[in-house]
Amino acid sequence: MTVAPEKSAELVVPEGHVKLTIDGLEVVAPKGELLIRTAERLGIVIPRFCDHPLLDPAGACRQCLVEVEMGGRPMPKPQASCTMTVAEGMVVKTQHTSPVADKAQQGVMELLLINHPLDCPICDKGGECPLQNQALAHGRADSRFHETKRTFPKPIPISTQVLLDRERCVLCQRCTRFSSQIAGDPFIELLERGAQQQIGIAQEKPFQSYFSGNTIQICPVGALTSAAYRFRSRPFDLVSTPSVCEHCSSGCAERTDWRRGKVMRKLAGEDPEVNEEWICDKGRFAFRYATAADRLLRPMVRDADSGQLRESSWTEALRVAAEGLAKARDEAGGVGVLAGGRLTVEDAYAYGKFARVALRTNDVDFRARPHSAEELEFLAASVVGTSPESGGVTFRQLESAPAVLCVAFEPEEEAPIVFLRLRKAARKGRTKVFHLGQWTSPAVDKTFGTLLPCVPGGEPAAIEGLFFNSGTAEAFEALSGSGSVILVGERAAEVPGLFSSVLRLAERTGAKAAWIPRRAGERGALDAGVLPNLLPGGRQVTDGTARAEVEQAWGLAAGALSAEPGRDTDAILGAAAAGELGGLLVGGVDPYDLADPELALRAIERAGFVVSLELRPSAVTERADVVLPIAPSTEKSGSYLNWEGRRREFGTTLDGTGALPDCRVLDTLAVEMDADLFTQTPAAARANLERLGATASTRRAEPPAVPAPPAPGAGEDGVLLATWHQLIDNGSLQDEEPNLAGTARTPVARLSAATAEQFGVVAGEQVTVATERGSVTLTAEPADLPDGVVWLPLNSGVSRLRRELGAGHGATVSLRPQARGGNS
Amino acid sequence: MTTFDERPATAAETEVFGQDTVDRARAIIARYPRSRSALLPMLHLVQSVQGHVSQAGIAFCAQQLDLSNAEVSAVATFYTMYKRKPCGEHLVSVCTNTLCAALGGDDIYAKLREHLGSDGKPLGHEETSGTPGEPGSITLEHAECLAACDLGPVLQVNYEYYDNQTASSALELVKALQSGQKPAPTRGAPLSDFRKVELQLAGFFEDNESDVDGPSAAAETVRGAKIANEKGWTAPREPDSVEFPALPEKK
């Protein structure tokens, strides 16, 4: 080091800080800071493997040894700088200034490499491997170990997607610490002892964690590798593009690694405000849907003679689509727009604008799932426009909240990064987490949470009970603490009165309410005005001032926008099924996600003219008159709004594939219909949206005020159905990824012992849950559900409730044991 | 490398741990402020039932303590007193650390391996002669220091000491064990069998606390103290305050 030591008098040591010297540099550090971090801040790199800033210190690998002097007295041996905290007057010498530290580090490196196979040329990690890099930087050129290395069979699968090569492992325990501390899934552990010490799993108990992929990324050697990525490419052949996850509403920062026009893998990006350094396995592994063989690449038009879809030119398809839509608009009662919940803000804006400008209707809705008018009011009054800047709830606030209540929201399944934050907050003992739900799910346990049990549909009554019922006084008390948060999830839309109750609870306790939808595009579509009652920026359709602003910005004649709120998804489909709507424009909507798939299919068939913008064939494209292919998220730019309302912008990963984003397709389609959207590119759409700015209107939407209904009962013969999506399920964005699918939770039917007995159901045997539409048969598993309730996953394996039962959360279903050996 | 038995736990195996074992498990858990602290005695408990820590035993402990199977496996595979394969009626541990080995421990171990082996093949470490659990069956292991160097070479049967052994005395002892006898240990409690001792290690003495109360120090061990006592020898008193040596000069 060439920096001259500064005079100590110049450094002010604030309260709670200490002054120490590292490599001759005086530095002030907060008490409790680890030496390795203080050195990092000075730009001094100390080699390490086990140290990770988001994990508790372990001191497992011993690579970060430094020389330490305390009170003028040198410590007898080099110390691990990743476990030692700073102290007043400490003098630290790293490998840069201390031959002792340097030699110690070389010795540790030599030891770590004794049993390492040195198979870098065939290792996935080669080229981006901390062991490789640090061995070159801080190791000896030669090993003095000439005996036979210890070997293990390799690799062994510890789950369908994570492979373990024990020979490469340096036993740093990053993976085991991540699993037990961060994810709460301690299914991977240090086994055996001495030279046989190794990472492993219990027999028959694979590493079934939704976050297991993170262990692959933080493994500082090539011991944990991904089944999907193994042997696919070398790090130095990859191009890395920052990206944003397209799956849930957390909006995680990711890094997409690709080569030759193909995405090879996704890694967690670093964003301390959002996902820190973690992502879930769905975000990491589920990207191959975009390269599925059935991906739509050419526009298709239904041939008038054969009735079959045939590939066509863009010119022809757009002309046919424009003519058909214009005709439906003018002569057949209008066109409804179903946008879907997976759009970028820019694409969503184009759908909204297309509906208003080209189709002259407010019949537009992004909600491709059960929904309600109450939800619309809730979104308009409490959600739209909120953001971290405007004081909305953030990830960080979850961490500092004294209490968080999850209502109709299953964080681990629906927004895994929210779950990680809740666990982190609860683990540090700062936050009490309450779950208003049906049973003690893994997320309740892992957030050290308290279950406030209620029957499905009984959530509003349970919330009202919070005010008055002494049994839940603790929750009410906790939520009254300043900074408390109520998180409400997508299935709240299936429970009448719930949004109103949540707002009442928020008002009474002072807690902030936040809405966490499940899909990445929902929050953005809300703010872009893809709803029957809202224009962009939260402007209400019924508000004249707001309409005038939009009309002016869009260059429309005054009064061109209808003051009448349009139809929502169900009403659009109902009208189409009844022959009242002449056409449908459908984005990425799967009819089997809707409350009533039969009605949706009937509506699409009945509608005179259907245009489908899709990535891959679906029940909609099968019935559409024109199918227009659009780009997946990797082939376009744009931004998502995550549940916080934080803008998550991303650039194009794969350029020049020719795939067009929805906004471009709609723009051109509008031109064919003599309307200008100015959404030729996502950037143009963004600029057009931003020109609208904030509204000058002072009118606020009225919050919903639906009285809480009494908790429902299912009568004598039926039971109430509780259900939500599991993270890894039959979702079409997880197609083509069998390794990921192998870590899905097994679908089971959960019910209480009393309910099982009442219906003659035996734990571990099959039970059939049915409605008049159909039935689903699963293995029965006892759980702490309220009596008279059965829980099934919404869309996992054979448990496809909307498709098979036409039923969702809160529905009444029948229950019967399935005879042994019978089939359904 | 020894491995767990390869079969997954079946319902029949979990039934091995009947109500009395569940009651004992709860009693162990009740001893500690945090349930996971009970894991070590719990593993001895399942070992007292099955003669080893089976997959069913691991699942049982995990279930009782609300741990994952991996966490229990980690502990069970770390400590050598948890056996992965069913043990015999008796566990014979021969000390082969430096002092005992030099004094004849290696010879004893070799002799016993040869005697207990079959088909001309000596018995290996942690292997069992006879049918595990049956009377007269013996599991042999070489052990790290048994903390009786002054009495070496020593061996233990079910963790009870047999001091100052020779290859022939050890062989006689093992032959006696095989024939169903229970020769008295040199000191400590009378000999029982492996599973009973495991139950004691789990903290259950079944009204036989006196079994483990016996004097465990040998005459050799306390001889020095006795002589010092007779002659009135004591260690020099520690000074009230000690001056630290001066700091070395800074360079």
Side-chain angles (χ1 to χ4, degrees):
Chain A
M1 301 294 286
T2 53
V3 184
E6 291 172 30
K7 282 286 144 247
S8 56
E10 292 161 24
L11 275 180
V12 185
V13 183
E15 181 72 26
H17 287 60
V18 295
K19 191 168 68 180
L20 68 158
T21 309
I22 302 181
D23 284 349
L25 296 169
E26 284 205 325
V27 58
V28 171
K31 274 183 190 163
E33 190 174 52
L34 296 169
L35 277 181
I36 201 165
R37 297 274 171 280
T38 316
E40 259 168 30
R41 289 195 288 113
L42 285 173
I44 298 169
V45 177
I46 301 171
R48 86 286 303 264
F49 297 109
C50 71
D51 172 70
H52 192 287
L54 297 178
L55 301 177
D56 295 347
C61 74
R62 318 309 292 177
Q63 187 57 57
C64 63
L65 295 177
V66 294
E67 234 191 320
V68 178
E69 194 178 297
M70 280 287 288
R73 209 171 271 278
M75 297 185 85
K77 292 179 188 173
Q79 300 293 310
S81 58
C82 74
T83 51
M84 178 167 272
T85 53
V86 294
E88 183 62 42
M90 198 180 241
V91 178
V92 180
K93 290 181 192 157
T94 72
Q95 73 279 5
H96 296 298
T97 53
S98 157
V100 173
D102 192 37
K103 181 152 188 272
Q105 289 178 7
Q106 290 186 18
V108 170
M109 179 64 73
E110 191 179 10
L111 195 69
L112 291 178
L113 290 177
I114 276 184
N115 282 312
H116 188 85
L118 299 174
D119 57 349
C120 309
I122 57 150
C123 178
D124 278 352
K125 206 82 177 184
E128 58 175 6
C129 177
L131 181 62
Q132 198 179 32
N133 295 345
Q134 294 180 35
L136 291 171
H138 305 284
R140 295 164 53 96
D142 268 317
S143 174
R144 290 166 288 181
F145 182 82
H146 296 297
E147 287 75 13
T148 310
K149 289 184 188 250
R150 175 206 56 205
T151 55
F152 285 119
K154 65 190 224 177
I156 53 171
I158 55 174
S159 73
T160 54
Q161 68 196 9
V162 183
L163 303 171
L164 169 64
D165 182 328
R166 292 164 293 177
E167 293 174 356
R168 294 176 184 157
C169 179
V170 296
L171 300 173
C172 73
Q173 301 167 53
R174 274 187 179 185
C175 54
T176 58
R177 285 182 293 145
F178 170 84
S179 304
S180 63
Q181 293 167 18
I182 307 291
D185 298 323
F187 308 138
I188 168 169
E189 268 290 351
L190 258 191
L191 305 179
E192 304 288 340
R193 66 189 298 170
Q196 290 296 327
Q197 195 168 46
Q198 57 186 274
I199 298 293
I201 50 170
Q203 264 180 45
E204 311 288 328
K205 295 275 180 187
F207 186 24
Q208 299 291 66
S209 167
Y210 284 162
F211 304 96
S212 63
N214 291 297
T215 62
I216 300 172
Q217 188 171 347
I218 60 173
C219 180
V221 300
L224 295 171
T225 51
S226 143
Y229 174 72
R230 195 173 164 83
F231 300 142
R232 292 275 170 149
S233 64
R234 316 294 324 209
F236 35 80
D237 290 338
L238 294 170
V239 182
S240 299
T241 308
S243 54
V244 174
C245 183
E246 74 271 32
H247 289 285
C248 86
S249 64
S250 297
C252 294
E254 288 187 340
R255 189 183 107 188
T256 303
D257 283 356
W258 57 278
R259 66 167 190 181
R260 284 193 245 143
K262 233 174 134 180
V263 174
M264 303 310 292
R265 65 173 175 182
K266 286 188 168 189
L267 298 175
E270 206 181 317
D271 190 335
E273 298 302 322
V274 179
N275 56 317
E276 300 190 297
E277 297 178 29
W278 319 122
I279 54 173
C280 70
D281 286 353
K282 183 151 114 180
R284 184 180 302 270
F285 296 117
F287 57 83
R288 295 217 173 127
Y289 66 91
T291 44
D294 61 359
R295 164 101 179 261
L296 300 171
L297 296 168
R298 305 283 309 154
M300 290 193 287
V301 171
R302 195 161 295 277
D303 192 86
D305 300 328
S306 69
Q308 298 295 310
L309 285 174
R310 60 166 170 80
E311 288 200 349
S312 72
S313 67
W314 273 103
T315 317
E316 183 193 4
L318 288 169
R319 182 180 51 76
V320 174
E323 279 172 9
L325 288 176
K327 191 156 167 255
R329 175 191 66 195
D330 299 332
E331 299 167 22
V335 178
V337 179
L338 305 177
R342 301 214 162 271
L343 299 168
T344 61
V345 179
E346 293 74 13
D347 288 340
Y349 174 67
Y351 275 92
K353 194 169 179 185
F354 187 86
R356 267 81 188 218
V357 176
L359 299 172
R360 298 172 210 145
T361 179
N362 281 325
D363 291 347
V364 54
D365 198 339
F366 68 81
R367 294 172 300 168
R369 53 174 174 76
H371 52 273
S372 67
E374 186 187 359
E375 184 187 25
L376 272 190
E377 293 177 6
F378 171 78
L379 296 179
S382 306
V383 180
V384 70
T386 57
S387 69
E389 295 81 39
S390 75
V393 179
T394 61
F395 277 106
R396 268 202 202 277
Q397 282 176 20
L398 295 183
E399 230 177 290
S400 58
V404 175
L405 171 66
C406 298
V407 177
F409 172 57
E410 188 59 29
E412 194 183 12
E413 309 280 11
E414 296 178 15
I417 300 304
V418 174
F419 162 77
L420 288 189
R421 278 299 172 108
L422 290 177
R423 177 173 162 81
K424 182 182 180 189
R427 187 169 169 264
K428 293 194 171 155
R430 285 198 295 256
T431 304
K432 284 190 78 70
V433 184
F434 298 92
H435 298 260
L436 184 61
Q438 278 72 48
W439 54 284
T440 306
S441 63
V444 176
D445 274 337
K446 289 188 272 186
T447 53
F448 311 95
T450 308
L451 177 72
L452 307 175
C454 66
V455 298
E459 288 90 347
I463 288 183
E464 300 299 320
L466 280 183
F467 301 134
F468 310 112
N469 190 337
S470 59
T472 49
E474 188 209 359
F476 186 76
E477 195 87 347
L479 279 173
S480 303
S482 162
S484 288
V485 172
I486 306 169
L487 301 177
V488 54
E490 73 166 12
R491 70 177 181 277
E494 291 183 83
V495 181
L498 184 49
F499 286 114
S500 310
S501 291
V502 164
L503 290 180
R504 274 197 294 277
L505 180 64
E507 200 177 331
R508 282 283 289 275
T509 57
K512 282 197 211 169
W515 178 62
I516 306 196
R518 205 174 51 84
R519 296 189 175 115
E522 298 213 355
R523 185 54 217 278
L526 166 64
D527 285 48
V530 191
L531 279 177
N533 63 337
L534 289 180
L535 294 165
R539 292 172 175 84
Q540 293 173 73
V541 161
T542 51
D543 179 351
T545 319
R547 273 202 317 280
E549 286 173 350
V550 177
E551 281 160 359
Q552 197 194 1
W554 285 356
L556 302 175
L561 291 177
S562 166
E564 190 69 27
R567 286 177 269 223
D568 65 13
T569 300
D570 283 347
I572 290 171
L573 291 170
E580 292 162 21
L581 269 182
L584 288 173
L585 173 70
V586 187
V589 173
D590 182 347
Y592 295 108
D593 286 341
L594 299 168
D596 188 349
E598 278 184 16
L599 169 75
L601 294 177
R602 220 167 46 241
I604 296 165
E605 272 158 21
R606 183 80 198 276
F609 191 77
V610 178
V611 177
S612 167
L613 278 71
E614 255 300 358
L615 196 63
R616 291 173 55 206
S618 73
V620 179
T621 62
E622 273 171 29
R623 294 162 175 81
D625 296 285
V626 179
V627 177
L628 302 171
I630 42 88
S633 62
T634 45
E635 296 175 34
K636 65 183 179 189
S637 62
S639 57
Y640 293 113
L641 277 191
N642 74 354
W643 65 268
E644 303 169 280
R646 190 190 298 272
R647 196 167 152 228
R648 310 294 290 158
E649 194 175 2
F650 61 93
T652 309
T653 300
L654 304 176
D655 225 344
T657 61
L660 304 177
D662 298 56
C663 62
R664 170 68 186 270
V665 173
L666 291 171
D667 181 78
T668 317
L669 187 57
V671 168
E672 289 283 325
M673 296 172 74
D674 297 327
D676 278 326
L677 300 187
F678 300 104
T679 61
Q680 298 91 330
T681 63
R686 156 74 36 197
N688 197 260
L689 172 60
E690 276 171 0
R691 268 185 52 198
L692 270 167
T695 180
S697 170
T698 51
R699 214 179 103 184
R700 290 279 151 268
E702 282 297 312
V706 179
E716 278 297 290
D717 306 328
V719 291
L720 289 169
L721 174 66
T723 182
W724 51 78
H725 278 94
Q726 294 190 322
L727 182 71
I728 298 169
D729 63 2
N730 300 338
S732 60
L733 296 194
Q734 299 158 57
D735 287 354
E736 306 279 312
E737 193 42 81
N739 299 316
L740 174 68
T743 64
R745 289 180 177 160
T746 312
V748 291
R750 293 192 161 86
L751 68 177
S752 73
T755 311
E757 195 179 340
Q758 187 193 339
F759 289 88
V761 174
V762 180
E765 292 187 10
Q766 303 280 292
V767 57
T768 296
V769 175
T771 61
E772 50 202 26
R773 289 255 175 107
S775 67
V776 165
T777 301
L778 288 175
T779 306
E781 196 173 291
D784 59 343
L785 287 131
D787 291 340
V789 178
V790 63
W791 178 89
L792 273 73
L794 192 57
N795 189 29
S796 296
V798 297
S799 186
R800 297 174 297 189
L801 303 192
R802 306 237 187 264
R803 184 190 292 248
E804 308 293 347
L805 306 185
H809 189 73
T812 301
V813 294
S814 70
L815 195 66
R816 63 168 195 275
Q818 183 74 22
R820 199 191 278 266
N823 51 33
S824 60
Chain B
M1 191 180 103
T2 48
T3 54
F4 280 107
D5 69 35
E6 298 290 331
R7 292 163 299 122
T10 61
E13 274 177 303
T14 32
E15 275 167 23
V16 170
F17 305 105
Q19 193 54 45
D20 57 334
T21 308
V22 174
D23 291 343
R24 280 178 177 146
R26 303 225 165 110
I28 296 174
I29 293 166
R31 290 181 207 151
Y32 301 92
R34 287 170 186 227
S35 65
R36 67 180 297 155
S37 309
L39 180 53
L40 294 184
M42 285 277 283
L43 285 165
H44 283 300
L45 178 68
V46 298
Q47 198 155 246
S48 77
V49 178
Q50 290 193 307
H52 73 304
V53 178
S54 66
Q55 284 299 310
I58 285 179
F60 176 80
C61 292
Q63 191 196 357
Q64 296 291 323
L65 301 174
D66 203 14
L67 296 171
S68 73
N69 288 24
E71 287 171 306
V72 176
S73 298
V75 174
T77 57
F78 181 82
Y79 293 106
T80 51
M81 278 171 82
Y82 301 124
K83 306 298 180 193
R84 331 270 189 86
K85 290 187 292 187
C87 281
E89 184 191 13
H90 299 292
L91 170 69
V92 175
S93 320
V94 181
C95 178
T96 54
N97 260 187
T98 316
L99 190 58
C100 280
L103 288 171
D106 281 348
D107 296 340
I108 294 173
Y109 186 56
K111 189 67 152 182
L112 296 187
R113 287 186 67 188
E114 189 192 333
H115 169 71
L116 294 170
S118 53
D119 304 332
K121 207 170 145 246
L123 196 68
H125 174 62
E126 285 191 343
E127 284 181 2
T128 303
S129 152
T131 309
E134 295 290 307
S137 57
I138 287 178
T139 301
L140 182 67
E141 68 174 356
H142 62 78
E144 302 306 320
C145 184
L146 295 175
C149 304
D150 46 352
L151 306 165
V154 295
L155 62 79
Q156 288 181 331
V157 179
N158 308 332
Y159 307 117
E160 296 297 348
Y161 282 102
Y162 293 82
D163 301 332
N164 296 317
Q165 292 296 301
T166 61
S168 58
S169 71
L171 185 60
E172 260 171 53
L173 171 63
V174 166
K175 281 181 176 164
L177 293 173
Q178 283 180 305
S179 66
Q181 299 169 50
K182 294 190 174 172
T186 317
R187 52 205 158 96
L191 192 65
S192 56
D193 65 47
F194 178 66
R195 295 191 190 195
K196 286 202 182 106
V197 166
E198 284 299 318
L199 192 60
Q200 291 180 354
L201 288 172
F204 298 95
F205 300 97
E206 300 182 307
D207 300 328
N208 290 326
E209 274 90 345
S210 55
D211 280 2
V212 291
D213 282 350
S216 61
E220 291 89 336
T221 311
V222 292
R223 185 168 291 148
K226 201 172 154 214
I227 293 170
N229 212 13
E230 282 167 8
K231 309 217 167 182
W233 295 342
T234 53
R237 228 177 110 250
E238 278 186 29
D240 291 333
S241 65
V242 183
E243 286 283 308
F244 281 106
L247 282 177
E249 189 132 335
K250 274 241 165 163
K251 281 170 197 153

